[in-house]
Amino acid sequence: MKMFSVSHKTVFVVDHCPYMSESSRQQVECDVLTKTRAQGVIPLAPVSKSLWTCAVECSMEYCRILYDIYPKDKLVNYIVSDSEFHILNTWKREEQGTHELMSGLASVGPPNPHEDPECCSILHGLFAAVESLCIITELQHERRAALMDTAERVANRGRIICLTNAKSDTSVRMLEDYVQETILEQNKVAASSDRRMAIQQCELVLLHIYPQGEDTLVSDRPKKEISPLLTSEVHSVRAGRHLATKLNILVQQHFDLASTTITNIPMKEEQHANTSANYDVELLHHKDAHLEFIKSGDLHMAGTSTRENTLKETVTLKWCTPRTNSIELHYCTGAYRISPTDVNSRPSSCLTNFLLNGRSVLLEQPRKSGSKVISHMLSSHGGEIFLHVLNSNRSTLEDPPSISEGCGGRVTDYRITDFGEFMRENRLTPVSEYFIDSFEKLPVERAKAQLERHTRYWPMIISQTTIFNMQAVVPLANLIVKETLTEEDVLTCQKTVYNLVDMERKNDPLPISTVGSRGKGPKRDEQYRIMWNELETLVKTHAAASDRHQRVLDCITACRSKPPEEEERKKRGRKREDREDRAEKNGSKETDDKGWQDSERLKGLIDKEDQESEVIKDSPDSPEPLNKKPRLSTEEVQPPERAKGPVSLLTMWTNRITVANSRKHQEFVGRASSVNNKFELYQHLKDENGMDVHENGKASR
Amino acid sequence: MPTLVLMDVSLSMTRPVSLDGSEEFQRKNLAVHGLNMLFEHMASNYRLEFTALMAFSSLWELLVSFTRDYNALQEALSNLEDYDKTCIESALQGVSNVVQQEWGSACPCQVVLVTDGSLGIGKGSLRHSLQTMKHRGDDKKFPLPFPFPTKLYIMCVANADELQMTDAMDNLEELLHLSGGDGQIFTIEGPLCMKGVQAMFGRLIDYAYSPFHAVLHCGNLSSDVQVFPRPEPVVVDDEVEPMPRAVSTDLEIVGFIEIADISSPPVISRHLVLPIAVNKEVDEVGTGATDELEEEPSASQMAGKNPNFCVLLHGSLKVEGMVALVQLGPEWYGMLYSQADSKKKSNLMMSLFDPGSGPLPWLGNISHLGPISEAAENPYGEDDSKSPFPVQPQVKRSYAQNVTVWIKASGLQTDVQKILRNARKLPDKTQTFYKELNRLRKAALAFGFSELLKVVADLLERECTMLPDSAHPDAAFQLSHAAQQLKLASTGESQHADFDHNIVPMHTDFSS
């Protein structure tokens, strides 16, 4: 159904003329006496509803079903007509609902039988109905505003359901002509107004109501086109049960509904609590819930039954004893709101209450072959019941390769638990409309911004991180990702840092990983350096957020600076760390692989190593991956370090060769006169012009 | 989306192609060459697609049923035999049966019809079928449109000029139109030769079988992924929004939700999300597949050892029983979750919701979901005992609010009996008695059913006279008070018949 089909706007026009106060002659026995009290009491006479009461309660039932299944944007405007028209509500969303309509109907009251019939006419109501169809709804307004230059895509169509008592076929023609004329007239008026739209299509449904036991003076007529703007159909119906059935069929036709009967519902008997009988409950819902049956021509197999006296069809589905739970994610191809046809019958309310209490029921499609196919599920969400359509066909995605066979599938030390914690922190919650304007961004954009902050530094595997394996860092790590910090937060972060300093002084062991190193892991002070580096990396990514964030970074920088002699000892180990950093950045396959193998080994070794106080860093068993960096940059780092620490054989050899080679050719001018191995190119441009090239371009003009 | 290849093996396919070179080809050879190319492409870039091969002339035969074994498909192609005349209608009927039997009628399917554009003669020809289709009974309906959503690709081993000389092109266009219009007719540009047929199948591959690559983002964490099958563009409302919406190649996670809260949502399609190595060259044409097969295990093993965000995400979603909400484009969302099949294998899966910001009423507007850290207090509670979902609608549905419907006599009788039952237990049941009484009063006023108010007033008065001696004196007071109020309401006078007015219990004091 299109957004702006004729079903977007429905106007009910109900006749409130004196004639409608006539009895429908369908009698209801109110005084149903129980056996024990029957003696000596004369039962009261049965009551009968007036034509008006019949019309009103059946139209309200139509609205009840409509509002149950389309709680939004399928709108009803209710108009009552006697010597004038009474409009009970508007298209506004807050005025949609059976309660609002009932309140309006109560204020109108039943028709006055003593009013002069000559003054009264349904035409007043039909005029108001056409006028009302021209009035723009909130949805039409919103969409027109949103579409801007293509606003003409928003159509204005509607339906008028008129419940009246017509005199004859001729008077029916008269009503149709009147509606047609009024549309043309009102369309002209609408053209000059912002709040109105011309009617492009109108469907008139005339229901002629007459008392039981009388002959009808008006004949049925199927839908026919009066003009390109107007179609009309006439139904001549007896008041009471027949009218209710007719409107039930119409609401299904008008809103693409279909009927499902749930059979075999086990229910405790009212009288005998220990026995249970099986009941059936009929539900209405959008017909797409039967799409699979209709397409496959399975409709008959699924148990369609044509019920007596009516042309109504219903698909039968069998109740399966509940065995589904809420944490199961079913493959569901559609979910449609339902409305029970007989809402306050005992079986219906038993079923709906069962579902509203949070339980779900699987439904089985009865098949002749006897194989059991679960095709639907009934489930409630927030006080609304939905019929879910479950996929029962073969899946095109069957037997996919497992995720462990693909990229990243062989890595075994993912921080699954940590990421789980991360997901819990990044769960979502509805933000009430009230707060939405107060933020600049939509809540969902703020959720994305939070994810961005939380992932600025987030190593995916355990062996890539030290700080996230340390309980002591948790308070800081949790706080630093916040958008704003309080003074108290900064204090907590600082305390965390001091605590780490303390740990370092006490030489507490760290859960360090040894990516890139072979054999023995790094020494304890080395480990702390790695930890501090990582912590600094984490905090740096947030430092720009606020002064308080910056203060946390400052605190770390201040605390980690070491007395000179300690610093010197560290320098010897720096080269190793460079290599590690590089390995981390490149994520090179071999090193990673060995990395986590080593980290496993390290866990066993770490205590033993504590006793071995001195380990030679540049031991021959961990050679330099020299070829991985351009020569220039290695040279840049090496000399100051080499001067202080022991020099490896390879370095000595390389240096010697370099010196020897350099004698064999003339050094490039640039390299010879470079500062720190850097030389500015195209200096002559500057020299010649005495100014920047860019500026020169301007000046010469 | 499974593919069914429908191959024309009528005699006209054996027509030789005039070539300058010494070797002589039949049109069939060209078609087979093109299909081989398609199958090779699929084997290397689209290998999860199920494909079937069907040959037809005046009869049809399913040579290979739906499979991912592309060798089997290629082998069947090499063993094609030649038969009589082209009869497309019966073949399409066969397609309809085969697809529905395998996949039901909801699963979208691609049909690749390979023919030479000579569409048969006389009865059974496409021309004849199209001419007569409007004058047939329900039992002999033309098989198009298929009950399942279809993309029809017609591959003509002929060039457009040749087809336009007869009415073949018109008939094929009509066929495409009948199938729902989704698809395309491909013809060979230039002379009929190997190159031409390659180019034509190349266009089909680009159009329908290019893998969908995207980047999955979660803040700064990301992974390159292939989404399989390709997500198809969706038309929301062809009147208001006629342009189809396509899934963005940047899939952005916006946050996480428990499975119990998302609660089996309806989805328009499901897709596998497969992490891919970034720098892996995608072989567009699929030539040299054999070399690749040997190299690939080592390449994929290497990729297997690099940490990948998809694997981390999948693992945590599975352990925590959660889903990730993912934004697919403006006001369009989906969910990522771990899906396990029966064999203990599990995978990262993505389901697409209906486009729009409110596809699931119980989540509310997805654009209005924000981080829990911004809520005044954690909506999940400190111990995860609560949940902000489902979102409750503003108005309760009829079945959740005890509505009054008297269309059936039994509905009315039950309501009257309820009042009487409570009347007999006054004053214990005073509250329920008045609650039921007011409910009846409201409905009677709205329905203009004043006669009922009078009758119930009479019933209450009668109950009053029939009270046993043991009854509490308050009972009599309340009954006559209630009866009097109903009678006043039945007059319809505005001061007594106000809809929002409630009859309140009479104030009595029997304590002294």
Side-chain angles (χ1 to χ4, degrees):
Chain A
M1 211 189 311
K2 283 178 190 155
M3 193 180 283
F4 298 113
S5 68
V6 283
S7 303
H8 177 50
K9 290 167 153 180
T10 304
V11 189
F12 267 100
V13 182
V14 185
D15 200 338
H16 196 247
C17 298
Y19 180 79
M20 293 295 281
S21 60
E22 295 264 318
S23 164
S24 68
R25 296 186 210 152
Q26 188 181 10
Q27 299 199 319
V28 185
E29 202 72 57
C30 284
D31 195 10
V32 190
L33 291 170
T34 50
K35 287 170 201 154
T36 49
R37 299 175 66 92
Q39 296 118 345
V41 179
I42 307 149
L44 296 176
V47 290
S48 87
K49 295 171 186 168
S50 64
L51 292 179
W52 165 259
T53 300
C54 289
V56 165
E57 70 174 1
C58 293
S59 59
M60 289 314 293
E61 181 68 358
Y62 181 103
C63 295
R64 176 188 74 76
I65 292 167
L66 162 60
Y67 287 134
D68 270 355
I69 295 173
Y70 297 97
K72 230 184 128 189
D73 297 329
K74 296 278 176 264
L75 309 173
V76 173
N77 186 207
Y78 207 104
I79 295 171
V80 170
S81 181
D82 43 41
S83 59
E84 54 183 343
F85 57 78
H86 310 266
I87 303 179
L88 303 188
N89 69 333
T90 70
W91 297 123
K92 281 193 185 139
R93 283 174 186 143
E94 73 255 27
E95 291 184 34
Q96 298 295 316
T98 45
H99 184 265
E100 286 71 13
L101 296 179
M102 301 245 304
S103 167
L105 283 167
S107 68
V108 171
N112 178 2
H114 309 300
E115 207 171 354
D116 180 6
E118 292 303 312
C119 302
C120 295
S121 165
I122 193 72
L123 294 179
H124 302 298
L126 288 173
F127 174 83
V130 172
E131 194 176 25
S132 167
L133 283 182
C134 288
I135 294 169
I136 191 168
T137 65
E138 285 159 290
L139 182 69
Q140 284 177 319
H141 176 69
E142 286 161 17
R143 299 303 298 200
R144 282 209 321 180
L147 288 171
M148 301 288 284
D149 48 337
T150 51
E152 74 279 357
R153 283 184 194 154
V154 175
N156 190 36
R157 306 186 179 98
R159 182 180 285 123
I160 300 174
I161 303 177
C162 177
L163 292 100
T164 183
N165 180 278
K167 305 278 175 300
S168 62
D169 286 346
T170 332
S171 63
V172 166
R173 296 297 160 275
M174 197 267 288
L175 295 181
E176 287 168 346
D177 292 344
Y178 180 76
V179 171
Q180 168 67 20
E181 275 166 37
T182 315
I183 291 176
L184 294 176
E185 219 170 85
Q186 287 297 317
N187 276 357
K188 279 182 204 147
V189 178
S192 60
S193 167
D194 247 13
R195 289 277 148 194
R196 285 163 192 259
M197 287 173 79
I199 298 170
Q200 287 156 299
Q201 192 190 344
C202 177
E203 218 176 275
L204 178 63
V205 182
L206 278 166
L207 288 152
H208 164 70
I209 310 170
Y210 60 98
Q212 308 242 337
E214 268 184 31
D215 289 330
T216 177
L217 303 166
V218 175
S219 39
D220 271 8
R221 207 199 53 215
K223 193 191 280 189
K224 90 165 192 204
E225 193 171 281
I226 307 274
S227 79
L229 291 177
L230 180 68
T231 60
S232 163
E233 59 191 279
V234 183
H235 304 272
S236 180
V237 207
R238 255 172 298 186
R241 190 162 52 85
H242 300 280
L243 180 63
T245 313
K246 174 58 80 181
L247 276 166
N248 186 290
I249 293 170
L250 286 178
V251 75
Q252 292 190 51
Q253 283 172 2
H254 294 166
F255 292 93
D256 290 347
L257 306 184
S259 153
T260 295
T261 302
I262 317 293
T263 63
N264 270 22
I265 304 175
M267 198 171 78
K268 291 264 191 311
E269 292 274 13
E270 206 163 7
Q271 310 299 333
H272 320 281
N274 49 357
T275 62
S276 78
N278 290 338
Y279 289 89
D280 295 359
V281 172
E282 188 192 347
L283 306 173
L284 294 178
H285 49 77
H286 194 278
K287 67 179 180 193
D288 279 358
H290 290 162
L291 203 61
E292 182 80 347
F293 299 150
I294 298 166
K295 278 182 168 175
S296 60
D298 244 6
L299 212 54
H300 188 71
M301 287 230 312
T304 310
S305 67
T306 309
R307 300 193 311 180
E308 76 287 356
N309 298 336
T310 71
L311 294 165
K312 204 160 102 180
E313 290 192 324
T314 185
V315 167
T316 309
L317 293 173
K318 207 173 127 212
W319 166 288
C320 293
T321 310
R323 59 171 184 86
T324 180
N325 55 20
S326 62
I327 54 158
E328 199 175 342
L329 206 54
H330 293 277
Y331 176 24
C332 159
T333 55
Y336 305 92
R337 288 189 176 87
I338 62 104
S339 183
T341 31
D342 199 0
V343 65
N344 50 8
S345 76
R346 217 176 95 79
S348 285
S349 61
C350 270
L351 175 66
T352 53
N353 286 333
F354 179 86
L355 296 164
L356 290 173
N357 285 334
R359 278 168 287 192
S360 301
V361 186
L362 293 171
L363 302 175
E364 183 189 328
Q365 178 189 343
R367 283 197 170 173
K368 276 179 184 158
S369 59
S371 63
K372 183 170 167 175
V373 175
I374 306 273
S375 59
H376 292 78
M377 177 176 78
L378 276 171
S379 186
S380 79
H381 310 281
E384 285 188 284
I385 300 174
F386 291 81
L387 181 63
H388 290 248
V389 183
L390 304 180
N391 179 61
S392 47
N393 287 312
R394 182 180 168 193
S395 163
T396 53
L397 297 177
E398 67 185 29
D399 199 23
S402 174
I403 193 148
S404 58
E405 293 160 26
C407 291
R410 293 273 162 261
V411 180
T412 50
D413 66 337
Y414 284 108
R415 294 169 58 203
I416 299 281
T417 320
D418 290 352
F419 197 73
E421 189 55 40
F422 168 91
M423 294 195 314
R424 301 195 158 274
E425 281 161 17
N426 286 286
R427 276 182 294 186
L428 299 168
T429 186
V431 178
S432 78
E433 302 273 344
Y434 178 74
F435 289 108
I436 283 169
D437 294 334
S438 64
F439 293 126
E440 283 176 9
K441 284 185 190 168
L442 275 175
V444 77
E445 293 300 326
R446 300 184 57 76
K448 279 195 256 177
Q450 174 167 313
L451 284 174
E452 191 279 324
R453 286 200 308 280
H454 283 209
T455 54
R456 283 187 194 161
Y457 179 73
W458 214 99
M460 288 196 282
I461 56 175
I462 294 165
S463 53
Q464 263 174 5
T465 179
T466 308
I467 55 171
F468 292 112
N469 298 334
M470 292 167 65
Q471 205 53 43
V473 183
V474 170
L476 186 147
N478 283 347
L479 287 172
I480 201 73
V481 294
K482 281 171 61 176
E483 201 172 16
T484 52
L485 294 180
T486 61
E487 263 322 298
E488 204 182 324
D489 293 339
V490 175
L491 263 174
T492 315
C493 289
Q494 287 169 342
K495 267 186 210 157
T496 310
V497 176
Y498 300 150
N499 186 23
L500 293 173
V501 173
D502 208 38
M503 281 172 69
E504 184 170 17
R505 191 177 307 126
K506 284 192 274 179
N507 224 13
D508 287 347
L510 289 182
I512 196 104
S513 90
T514 52
V515 174
S517 68
R518 286 163 201 217
K520 295 140 198 164
K523 238 171 66 81
R524 182 62 49 81
D525 57 350
E526 176 73 16
Q527 292 175 6
Y528 270 93
R529 233 179 40 71
I530 293 170
M531 186 278 290
W532 284 116
N533 273 351
E534 200 187 358
L535 192 63
E536 213 171 282
T537 312
L538 167 70
V539 178
K540 258 184 194 157
T541 60
H542 296 277
S546 74
D547 285 348
R548 287 180 176 145
H549 286 88
Q550 180 63 41
R551 272 165 56 201
V552 178
L553 179 63
D554 294 345
C555 171
I556 294 172
T557 330
C559 288
R560 67 171 304 193
S561 59
K562 291 284 132 42
E565 68 274 32
E566 216 175 318
E567 191 71 358
E568 197 152 309
R569 260 193 327 138
K570 295 246 166 71
K571 272 185 182 163
R572 278 183 274 147
R574 182 156 301 164
K575 207 155 60 67
R576 169 190 298 275
E577 180 224 321
D578 279 343
R579 198 181 55 208
E580 275 166 7
D581 280 355
R582 219 183 307 137
E584 245 167 55
K585 274 175 213 142
N586 297 346
S588 130
K589 287 136 201 162
E590 299 100 315
T591 39
D592 269 3
D593 186 12
K594 272 151 200 153
W596 57 258
Q597 282 177 0
D598 283 354
S599 77
E600 290 300 303
R601 197 160 8 137
L602 180 80
K603 277 170 197 155
L605 284 175
I606 198 144
D607 290 330
K608 203 160 69 178
E609 253 186 88
D610 282 340
Q611 279 106 49
E612 300 172 289
S613 54
E614 271 302 329
V615 178
I616 302 160
K617 298 261 158 56
D618 292 312
S619 61
D621 62 340
S622 60
E624 283 290 332
L626 197 84
N627 54 350
K628 287 210 175 173
K629 268 195 174 180
R631 204 166 62 116
L632 272 179
S633 59
T634 14
E635 275 179 358
E636 192 181 309
V637 187
Q638 275 172 357
E641 280 189 13
R642 294 300 150 208
K644 284 175 185 162
V647 180
S648 75
L649 190 61
L650 178 67
T651 316
M652 287 162 70
W653 173 254
T654 319
N655 286 343
R656 207 187 120 115
I657 296 292
T658 314
V659 173
N661 284 346
S662 66
R663 282 199 213 101
K664 290 178 190 161
H665 66 84
Q666 198 183 351
E667 186 59 290
F668 295 116
V669 181
R671 196 179 284 165
S673 57
S674 67
V675 182
N676 282 341
N677 272 334
K678 280 179 188 154
F679 180 75
E680 195 176 352
L681 295 177
Y682 308 112
Q683 282 176 348
H684 64 282
L685 287 176
K686 228 182 209 174
D687 295 338
E688 274 166 28
N689 301 315
M691 59 180 82
D692 198 277
V693 188
H694 182 64
E695 277 177 14
N696 180 37
K698 273 186 204 161
S700 68
R701 217 178 274 161
Chain B
M1 197 167 17
T3 295
L4 189 140
V5 175
L6 185 58
M7 173 77 179
D8 187 345
V9 289
S10 64
L11 267 181
S12 64
M13 288 293 280
T14 62
R15 279 181 291 166
V17 178
S18 44
L19 276 182
D20 302 335
S22 55
E23 215 170 347
E24 191 174 82
F25 288 114
Q26 298 175 351
R27 292 195 190 224
K28 188 178 90 174
N29 302 131
L30 291 180
V32 167
H33 178 71
L35 282 175
N36 268 323
M37 177 176 144
L38 175 66
F39 290 154
E40 275 164 18
H41 167 82
M42 287 164 94
S44 50
N45 296 306
Y46 220 70
R47 73 178 66 178
L48 291 176
E49 177 87 345
F50 280 99
T51 304
L53 179 64
M54 194 186 239
F56 78 101
S57 55
S58 62
L59 301 171
W60 58 268
E61 184 187 0
L62 183 64
L63 299 177
V64 184
S65 61
F66 288 96
T67 179
R68 287 175 179 151
D69 180 356
Y70 286 92
N71 290 334
L73 287 162
Q74 283 179 295
E75 181 157 339
L77 270 187
S78 61
N79 296 326
L80 286 180
E81 283 174 50
D82 306 324
Y83 295 91
D84 56 348
K85 63 173 189 176
T86 311
C87 182
I88 289 188
E89 180 174 347
S90 66
L92 291 175
Q93 191 60 57
V95 171
S96 182
N97 295 343
V98 167
V99 170
Q100 283 191 80
Q101 208 162 46
E102 194 79 43
W103 309 105
S105 52
C107 177
C109 190
Q110 324 199 64
V111 177
V112 179
L113 168 62
V114 185
T115 178
D116 58 351
S118 99
L119 305 169
I121 39 164
K123 221 178 162 199
S125 70
L126 184 60
R127 187 187 299 116
H128 183 259
S129 297
L130 294 175
Q131 276 165 357
T132 57
M133 62 175 287
K134 284 192 184 124
H135 322 285
R136 304 195 218 177
D138 272 355
D139 51 332
K140 278 186 181 167
K141 272 199 344 207
F142 193 67
L144 289 182
F146 293 130
F148 44 88
T150 317
K151 285 178 185 287
L152 179 62
Y153 305 113
I154 304 175
M155 313 300 294
C156 292
V157 189
N159 49 44
D161 299 341
E162 188 184 340
L163 296 174
Q164 269 150 3
M165 281 198 291
T166 63
D167 59 354
M169 193 53 140
D170 297 335
N171 285 330
L172 290 176
E173 272 167 6
E174 172 84 20
L175 196 67
L176 182 61
H177 176 72
L178 282 173
S179 80
D182 202 354
Q184 202 168 314
I185 299 170
F186 294 88
T187 54
I188 291 181
E189 286 167 7
L192 300 188
C193 60
M194 286 296 181
K195 233 183 186 163
V197 86
Q198 269 178 15
M200 176 171 77
F201 274 87
R203 276 179 281 138
L204 171 69
I205 287 168
D206 287 346
Y207 187 84
Y209 294 98
S210 53
F212 185 90
H213 289 163
V215 185
L216 177 64
H217 299 275
C218 175
N220 293 301
L221 297 170
S222 69
S223 170
D224 290 84
V225 294
Q226 180 184 352
V227 178
F228 181 90
R230 300 202 312 187
E232 296 297 328
V234 177
V235 177
V236 186
D237 181 320
D238 54 10
E239 186 171 277
V240 182
E241 243 193 284
M243 284 298 287
R245 291 213 209 174
V247 172
S248 159
T249 49
D250 282 298
L251 308 169
E252 283 186 287
I253 291 178
V254 300
F256 302 88
I257 287 183
E258 316 263 347
I259 285 183
D261 288 337
I262 199 115
S263 186
S264 297
V267 301
I268 53 175
S269 59
R270 288 194 312 168
H271 308 266
L272 287 168
V273 176
L274 308 161
I276 49 173
V278 206
N279 47 7
K280 194 184 156 192
E281 285 293 310
V282 179
D283 191 352
E284 284 296 340
V285 190
T287 47
T290 42
D291 300 342
E292 243 182 48
L293 279 176
E294 280 167 333
E295 270 172 338
E296 233 170 286
S298 63
S300 71
Q301 267 172 16
M302 302 271 267
K305 286 169 185 168
N306 266 341
N308 189 294
F309 172 62
C310 284
V311 187
L312 172 67
L313 175 69
H314 169 265
S316 299
L317 290 176
K318 188 174 182 177
V319 171
E320 300 286 337
M322 293 174 94
V323 305
L325 273 186
V326 59
Q327 184 160 15
L328 312 166
E331 298 220 315
W332 193 8
Y333 298 89
M335 63 171 177
L336 290 161
Y337 52 97
S338 160
Q339 167 85 21
D341 77 356
S342 51
K343 293 168 192 161
K344 301 264 173 199
K345 283 183 181 177
S346 65
N347 244 296
L348 189 62
M349 195 85 110
M350 178 166 76
S351 289
L352 313 189
F353 301 144
D354 270 322
S357 51
L360 312 176
W362 51 95
L363 292 193
N365 186 332
I366 295 190
S367 312
H368 292 179
L369 296 181
I372 50 171
S373 60
E374 283 175 9
E377 58 179 290
N378 188 347
Y380 289 91
E382 290 313 311
D383 50 353
D384 266 349
S385 56
K386 303 188 285 186
S387 167
F389 302 106
V391 172
Q392 302 285 334
Q394 282 163 339
V395 186
K396 282 185 174 177
R397 303 289 156 250
S398 69
Y399 44 81
Q401 58 167 332
N402 200 9
V403 290
T404 316
V405 179
W406 291 334
I407 284 175
K408 285 189 180 166
S410 61
L412 180 57
Q413 286 156 354
T414 315
D415 285 349
V416 173
Q417 285 305 315
K418 244 186 234 167
I419 292 173
L420 292 183
R421 229 176 16 242
N422 285 301
R424 284 162 203 152
K425 290 176 187 158
L426 286 170
D428 298 347
K429 294 280 184 179
T430 306
Q431 291 309 318
T432 350
F433 171 72
Y434 280 99
K435 197 182 127 206
E436 291 297 331
L437 192 73
N438 280 313
R439 190 163 77 87
L440 177 122
R441 177 184 171 277
K442 267 192 167 51
L445 287 174
F447 297 155
F449 201 175
S450 36
E451 203 182 334
L452 177 73
L453 293 173
K454 285 180 208 143
V455 168
V456 176
D458 289 347
L459 279 170
L460 292 179
E461 278 174 351
R462 193 179 70 194
E463 282 301 319
C464 196
T465 62
M466 283 162 55
L467 282 172
D469 297 341
S470 57
H472 193 282
D474 197 19
F477 279 100
Q478 299 297 352
L479 284 173
S480 49
H481 167 70
Q484 192 204 356
Q485 290 290 318
L486 287 184
K487 282 199 169 146
L488 282 173
S490 74
T491 60
E493 286 164 37
S494 55
Q495 72 267 34
H496 302 298
D498 182 17
F499 184 71
D500 292 316
H501 173 77
N502 275 322
I503 304 175
V504 289
M506 191 184 192
H507 185 73
T508 51
D509 191 357
F510 293 94
S511 55
S512 54

